[in-house]
Amino acid sequence: QVQLVESGGGLVQAGGSLRLSCAASGSIFNLVSMGWYRQAPGKQREWVATIRIGDNPNYADPVKGRFTISRDNAWTTLYLQMNSLKPEDTDVYYCNLVGTMTVGTVENYWGQGTQVTVSS
């Protein structure tokens, strides 16, 4: 099993910054990628950013140039540095891990979510 514990959310003024953290524990046979998603009440979960082995980070257009995804060398902690925050960034942010535990099986793991509120 994999457990993801998120932290770092809170209230910030427009134009400010926050850094989200995701601590991963447990075991997995093969790690594919880690990323961040966000979701507002009553809406679909939206992809924000992904980092994967052997590739550069990828970002959704609304956050490109403002957010930076990173991780430690052991892939046990994932970060999302959020700068120049806007009110439309207000959402619950979720940490995501994609990997395989058995051959031929793709698993998606999610954190509990952390609230980010940007005031105008």
Side-chain angles (χ1 to χ4, degrees), residues 51-112:
I51 187 168
R52 66 182 73 247
I53 297 175
D55 200 4
N56 296 317
N58 294 293
Y59 300 93
D61 287 341
V63 308
K64 212 165 190 176
R66 300 188 296 120
F67 291 10
T68 302
I69 188 171
S70 61
R71 46 80 178 178
D72 64 5
N73 291 332
W75 294 80
T76 56
T77 307
L78 183 73
Y79 303 98
L80 185 67
Q81 179 66 47
M82 303 184 293
N83 298 326
S84 301
L85 283 162
K86 305 174 180 179
E88 54 259 43
D89 295 320
T90 296
D91 266 319
V92 177
Y93 284 71
Y94 296 89
C95 177
N96 169 253
L97 185 150
V98 178
T100 60
M101 192 64 187
T102 60
V103 176
T105 302
V106 178
E107 302 285 345
N108 281 276
Y109 300 91
W110 299 94
Q112 80 286 355

Side-chain angles (χ1 to χ4, degrees), residues 1 3 13 17 21 25-26 30 35 47 60 66 71-72 76 81 95 97 103 111 114-115 119:
Q1 298 184 53
Q3 295 82 42
Q13 296 179 15
S17 299
S21 298
S25 61
N30 183 52
W47 170 69
R66 300 188 296 120
R71 46 80 178 178
D72 64 5
T76 56
Q81 179 66 47
C95 177
L97 185 150
V103 176
T114 185
Q115 175 69 233
S119 65

Side-chain angles (χ1 to χ4, degrees), residues 23-34:
S25 61
S27 63
I28 193 168
F29 181 75
N30 183 52
L31 176 66
V32 177
S33 67
M34 297 187 73

